[in-house]
Structures are given as C-alpha cells and as structure tokens.
Amino acid sequence: MLEVADVDLHYGAAQALWRVSLKAEPGKVSAVMGRNGVCKTSLLRAIVGEQAISGGEIRFDGKILGKLPPHDRARLGIAYVPQGRDIFPLLSVKENLETGFAPLPRSERNIPSYIFDLFPVLSGMLRRRGGDLSGGQQQQLAIARALVTRPKLLVLDEPTEGIQPSIIKDIGRAIEWLRDQGTIAILLVEQYFDFVHELADTFAVMDRGEVVLAGTRADMDADKVRRHLTV
C-alpha cells in the first residue's frame, strides 16, 4: 500500500531525513519509534504531502505521489491523525466527524456505524463541542474523523501522548480491530514501547533522521529499542 524509498527531506539548507525507507501493508501495523526530535513527524508530513521531499520517492497503491498535494492524497485514501489531534474546538462532535466527508463522493457521505462501536463514548456526545472533550476523548474523535474518510492508509502520530491509561487501551483495541479487518494499512508513530510491542507487525527506529533499527516484531530487541527511546 505504502512504500517509502530512500527519502531525503530538507528544511532550507538543513537536512532532516536521510535515505529513509519503510513499508506499510494492508492488515498490518507498521510502527516508527524514536525519541523527540529525530524527525518522525517530518517523515509523516512527507507521506501526507505537507512537506516536499528532496530525494527518493513515495509510492502509494503503486502510484508515485511526487508533488501531489495533501487534499489529493486524502482522496486516494491517506488519512492523517496529527500529533496534538487538531480537532475543531468550536464545532460539535458530529460536525467534526462530518468534516471527514470532504474527500468522499456524495453517495458515501455518512458516518460508518462501526466508528461508534470502536469509540462508544462519542455517540453520546454528538452535540457537544469538540473543545469541551477531554484530551483522550479528543484523540478518539480525531481517529474517528480520519476513519470517516474510508482510508486505505491510516497515519497516526503519537496517539497515546498525554492520554490516560484506560483510553490508551481503547485506542489500542481500535487499532487492533482495524488491522484485523485486513483492508487498512496502519502507520503508527509512537514512543510508548509497550503499546508498539503489543500492536506492531513491523517496526523502524529512527535517530537523527535515519532508520537505525528495523524488522518484524519477532526481531525486536527490547533493550536496543529502549536505548533509542531514552534521552
């Protein structure tokens, strides 16, 4: 579904990514780990089209994305849940979910019922403003809004950050269910090792803009990974 091949990325004269390669496949969770400041978010911004790459290529569903802008990537089936959630605080929960209709044809502009099975708390809050929700509820709303777009690739940037343990478990169960449907590729950026170890099928660890460790969950050496997650 997604193939990142030897990608470089610059901010002016400063190079942020150095020949980064990874894949995300339907029915699997691909995790990217690393401490703060190693350019994990820059990689995601390149994938969703918010930042142009300066070398290598990104393919999605067999197509080279090139300079395709974010809204066109969304229409292809790439959904992004950014770090910090970026919900609309003055819109209701229902209106936030409906913003996910933008890349869809009119015939598909509805909220799939399974979203409320994954995040039942949202069904009782449809009229509440997004800004009135707790941080964990806002994170569930942000993921639900992305799922409204019927993505082929779901990109999650640190979904457990600042979230209470009970909601982290809910988010983990939702990711597991989505993976098991076999139709969505999930790319997860995360620092919480136990969360990744439980969910990821493949992983890559970044340091200073490069992938320094990669493999399957069975290959994951906890001590080596943890060394790259601590400051």
Side-chain angles (χ1 to χ4, degrees), residues 37-185:
V38 300
C39 298
K40 304 184 302 296
T41 296
S42 292
L43 172 62
L44 299 192
R45 286 170 55 83
I47 290 168
V48 302
E50 292 183 355
Q51 185 68 35
I53 62 175
S54 47
E57 65 182 28
I58 300 173
R59 291 178 178 267
F60 180 69
D61 214 5
K63 177 181 179 180
I64 297 176
L65 295 181
K67 296 182 179 179
L68 201 68
H71 59 272
D72 285 332
R73 298 188 194 208
R75 290 192 179 97
L76 290 178
I78 298 176
Y80 183 33
V81 181
Q83 188 177 18
R85 300 177 280 277
D86 283 357
I87 63 154
F88 297 100
L90 299 182
L91 297 184
S92 70
V93 168
K94 183 174 184 288
E95 289 167 337
N96 267 278
L97 292 172
E98 289 173 345
T99 63
F101 292 170
L104 298 174
R106 290 191 179 277
S107 61
E108 295 181 20
R109 290 183 178 180
N110 56 72
I111 300 171
S113 60
Y114 76 81
I115 286 176
F116 299 117
D117 294 331
L118 293 177
F119 305 117
V121 68
L122 297 180
S123 63
M125 297 183 169
L126 291 176
R127 296 183 182 274
R128 189 174 299 186
R129 292 194 310 180
D132 294 335
L133 273 58
S134 70
Q137 291 164 350
Q138 289 183 12
Q139 185 66 72
Q140 292 177 84
L141 175 58
I143 296 172
R145 178 181 59 184
L147 293 175
V148 168
T149 69
R150 278 64 163 186
K152 297 177 182 177
L153 171 67
L154 179 62
V155 179
L156 301 167
D157 194 354
E158 302 210 19
T160 68
E161 183 181 37
I163 305 300
Q164 59 265 44
S166 61
I167 293 185
I168 289 175
K169 290 181 179 179
D170 291 340
I171 291 171
R173 282 191 289 267
I175 293 172
E176 187 174 26
W177 185 86
L178 292 166
R179 178 192 63 196
D180 292 347
Q181 303 314 296
T183 56
I184 299 177

Side-chain angles (χ1 to χ4, degrees), residues 189-204:
V189 161
E190 187 56 70
Q191 293 190 62
Y192 181 14
F193 175 82
D194 292 338
F195 187 77
V196 171
H197 190 262
E198 184 175 334
L199 291 171
D201 297 285
T202 63
F203 75 97

Side-chain angles (χ1 to χ4, degrees), residues 15-29:
Q15 186 162 355
L17 298 179
W18 302 74
R19 298 182 65 82
V20 172
S21 297
L22 59 83
K23 293 182 180 180
E25 301 177 27
K28 292 185 178 180
V29 176

Side-chain angles (χ1 to χ4, degrees), residues 7-9 15-20 37-40 206-212:
V7 162
D8 296 329
L9 185 149
Q15 186 162 355
L17 298 179
W18 302 74
R19 298 182 65 82
V20 172
V38 300
C39 298
K40 304 184 302 296
M206 291 183 64
D207 195 0
R208 298 182 182 181
E210 297 181 273
V211 174
V212 294

